[in-house]
Each structure stands twice: as C-alpha cells, then as structure tokens.
Amino acid sequence: MITLDSVQDVTLQDRLRGAIWGQFVGDAAALGTHWIYDLEEMAKLYPEGVNGFEAPQPGHYHHGKEPGDQTHYGDGALVLLESIAREGQFDARAFGRSFVERFQPQSYSGYVDKATRGTLENYAKFVENNREQDFDFQQGADDDQLAGGSRLASLVARYWNDRNLLERVEQATRVCQNHVIAIAYMKFNALLLAELFRGWDVHTALHSVEEQILWVEPQFGQELRRKSREALEETPNEVVEATLLFGQSCPLQHSFPSSIHALLKHTDDFETAILATLRAGGDSAGRAAILGAWVGARRGLGGIPKAWRIRLTNAERISVAIEKIVSDQRP
C-alpha cells in the first residue's frame, strides 16, 4: 500500500526517488562551477550568471567532462547506488570492491579527491601483504569532507526505517572516510533524510534530529546541534552571505551548516535552492548533492525539474537502480 503524506500528498516512494535523484541532479548541476571560490572570478567566467550545468572550462578540475556528467562525487554515488541495487542490500565489501575498481588510475580519468586517493592507497598497502579478499573496506581515508554526504541518499532510501540504519551509515562512511567527524555528520544527515521521508516539515525534522543526535553521537552531538541552530539563526540572510560566513570549503564543519542554511532558506523550491548554493562558490557540488537529497526527500520526485533530470548522462542507469531500491525497501 502506498502511504500518502498528509500535507502534500507526496507518496513515500516518491520521496525516496526524489532524494536519490536530487542528489545526482544537484551534483551534475554544479559540474562547471565546482570549486570556484572567488565569486568575482566566477562572475567573469559566467557573465550571464550561474544557471546550472555549465561546461567546465580549460584548467578546471572537471575539464573534459560534458554538461550532464557527474563530478567525481556523483561518479562515486553511482557506484554505491548500483551496488545496493545489484546486491539487493548494502554490502561494504561489495561497494568497496566496485569503488576501487571504478577509480583505478588506469580506468578513471576524472579528478580524484583526497577521500578517494586515500582509500585507494590504503587498499593497495593492505593487499601488498595480505589476501585481497580479506580486506574489510572499513579502512578508508582520514578525511572529514563532503564525499560521504554526496552519495548517502541511496543507502538511507533503502534502510530509512531500519533499526540498524546508523550502523549501516557508519559502515558505508568508513569505506572511504574512516574519520569520526565524517561518521558523526553522516549520521545527522541520515537521520534528517529519514525524518523527511516520514513527511515532517524541515523545521520539525531538524528539531527531532537535533535531539536524537545527542544520544547517538555523544562526542559530536552538541557540535552538530549547534551547527544546525547557527544555520537557523542565519536564515534572514541570503545563501551566498551565509555560505561565506560558515565557509565555502569542503570540511563538513564548514559545508554542513552552509547546506542546512540553504535547505531552510529554500525548503520547497529545488531549483532555487540548488542555484543559490552553486552561486555561493567553493565546494558547491558537495553541498548541492546533499542539499538536493534533502529537498528531494521533502518535495518528492515531482519537485525536481524534469528538464534537469533528463540532462543527466547516466539518467537511465540511475533510474533503473532507483526503481530497484524503492522496490526492495518495501515491507
């Protein structure tokens, strides 16, 4: 039976679809402007403004990719999405093996970030002296940035109502980010997605997660609650201004409150939310992926512009895997 949201009549299944699609669309929309920190430089490069899906220019991190392609974040997210769909469940070893195969230097020509590079190095060091099949893929990079947040929607969509959700979130995070801060922030992310899947408005969902995080993450719970409330306090200001205040950079302690602020500022308008965070510069692809998942979970698939979804190079692969995951998570 399909459950209807009492406020918007958005089905649970469409919220699940919306979260995963939103993650991929947000990342792809940021491709050309990703990691441009100087807003004056960005205005010169794109004098008609940033409107999403810009082509990466020569010298850019993602030069060689085309509009509609994913950044390295989205490429990693696709590995996780298809691993869960293929296995019918999350399996850290299956995901890890697919991940290192996808990002081997001889087969991947895109940008490789710190989390990916460290994961590949740790894997290679282990297999030098051990059997490859013994690696548990829980020894990812020492990294506290946005990599995990850019791909987590598919796992939460599969397990949002599972009592072991946070255990799976930790396992998935450790594959590429074996760092206590990354794990803590991804638990907050997962709990927020789960509350949005239940149909709560954003303010109610955030308040609930702020309370839950104190007991599920005693080391960083207070910090996370403070970051969330600081984002709320900045809502009178525009996204660019707040992002410059919290930080445009990749570490979660900067990028996470910037993302929450954009969510609060543009709760029910996917396109406006994504473009606002893109125009704030910096690690916009990471923020847009996590923000896209949140707004997608809130609004459902219908809240994401179809014209944006069909632009994705891997739209068909994404759609097939999403439908498998949505089908598998039903009771």
Side-chain angles (χ1 to χ4, degrees):
M1 185 174 104
I2 297 177
T3 304
L4 294 179
D5 177 84
S6 61
V7 178
Q8 294 183 296
D9 288 342
V10 178
T11 67
L12 168 61
Q13 286 71 34
D14 267 5
R15 292 190 189 280
L16 303 178
R17 294 183 180 99
I20 305 174
W21 271 111
Q23 172 187 268
F24 282 101
V25 171
D27 172 78
L31 180 72
T33 54
H34 186 210
W35 279 328
I36 299 176
Y37 282 83
D38 188 329
L39 300 187
E40 291 185 1
E41 177 191 355
M42 189 154 62
K44 291 177 182 177
L45 289 171
Y46 301 100
E48 296 183 2
V50 173
N51 298 298
F53 297 93
E54 282 74 21
Q57 299 195 12
H60 188 273
Y61 293 95
H62 303 301
H63 181 60
K65 291 190 173 225
E66 300 292 334
D69 290 349
Q70 305 294 151
T71 74
H72 61 292
Y73 287 144
D75 288 337
L78 185 57
V79 174
L80 178 58
L81 172 69
E82 293 189 322
S83 175
I84 295 172
R86 182 173 57 251
E87 302 295 325
Q89 62 182 348
F90 170 70
D91 182 300
R93 284 183 168 85
F95 168 46
R97 284 192 295 269
S98 295
F99 188 90
V100 297
E101 180 180 353
R102 175 70 176 95
F103 286 95
Q104 287 297 326
Q106 60 268 30
S107 60
Y108 187 72
S109 59
Y111 180 81
V112 176
D113 65 357
K114 177 185 174 184
T116 302
R117 186 169 58 253
T119 298
L120 294 174
E121 290 171 354
N122 291 350
Y123 173 72
K125 288 176 184 177
F126 180 89
V127 298
E128 281 180 7
N129 301 305
N130 301 275
R131 294 189 305 165
E132 181 178 350
Q133 58 265 38
D134 289 340
F135 194 62
D136 63 2
F137 286 100
Q138 294 294 279
Q139 315 301 321
D142 182 20
D143 179 81
D144 64 348
Q145 302 183 21
L146 265 173
S150 70
R151 66 176 67 112
L152 202 64
S154 58
L155 182 137
V156 183
R158 176 65 178 82
Y159 292 105
W160 70 276
N161 205 27
D162 190 300
R163 64 180 181 179
N164 296 318
L165 169 65
L166 296 185
E167 179 182 337
R168 298 180 195 280
V169 167
E170 179 167 346
Q171 291 172 348
T173 304
R174 286 189 185 277
V175 170
C176 296
Q177 292 178 281
N178 189 19
H179 196 292
V180 290
I181 289 177
I183 292 165
Y185 276 71
M186 288 311 97
K187 288 181 180 178
F188 190 103
N189 177 21
L191 290 170
L192 179 54
L193 278 170
E195 293 301 300
L196 293 170
F197 289 151
R198 293 184 174 95
W200 295 115
D201 65 88
V202 168
H203 288 271
T204 302
L206 276 170
H207 179 72
S208 175
V209 176
E210 288 171 5
E211 297 305 311
Q212 293 176 62
I213 202 68
L214 294 177
W215 58 269
V216 301
E217 263 301 325
Q219 184 176 0
F220 295 101
Q222 290 288 355
E223 174 184 311
L224 279 156
R225 185 166 72 167
R226 185 176 69 254
K227 296 288 187 183
S228 178
R229 293 184 176 181
E230 287 173 354
L232 177 62
E233 290 169 1
E234 286 298 313
T235 50
N237 298 318
E238 295 301 324
V239 170
V240 170
E241 184 178 355
T243 301
L244 291 173
L245 173 66
F246 292 125
Q248 300 165 290
S249 60
C250 309
L252 286 158
Q253 289 165 317
H254 302 293
S255 54
F256 205 75
S258 297
S259 302
I260 292 175
H261 174 271
L263 172 66
L264 288 164
K265 193 72 178 178
H266 301 293
T267 298
D268 290 318
D269 190 331
F270 184 92
E271 183 174 348
T272 300
I274 295 300
L275 292 180
T277 204
L278 265 54
R279 292 165 182 166
D283 190 8
S284 55
R287 296 195 311 272
I290 196 170
L291 173 62
W294 291 339
V295 181
R298 167 67 181 159
R299 290 294 315 280
L301 184 61
I304 302 171
K306 183 178 179 180
W308 282 21
R309 285 191 284 118
I310 64 176
R311 292 195 67 173
L312 269 58
T313 304
N314 291 312
E316 181 62 25
R317 289 173 63 183
I318 291 168
S319 179
V320 169
I322 288 175
E323 292 310 308
K324 178 66 164 58
I325 287 174
V326 170
S327 175
D328 286 346
Q329 69 83 47
R330 290 176 181 168

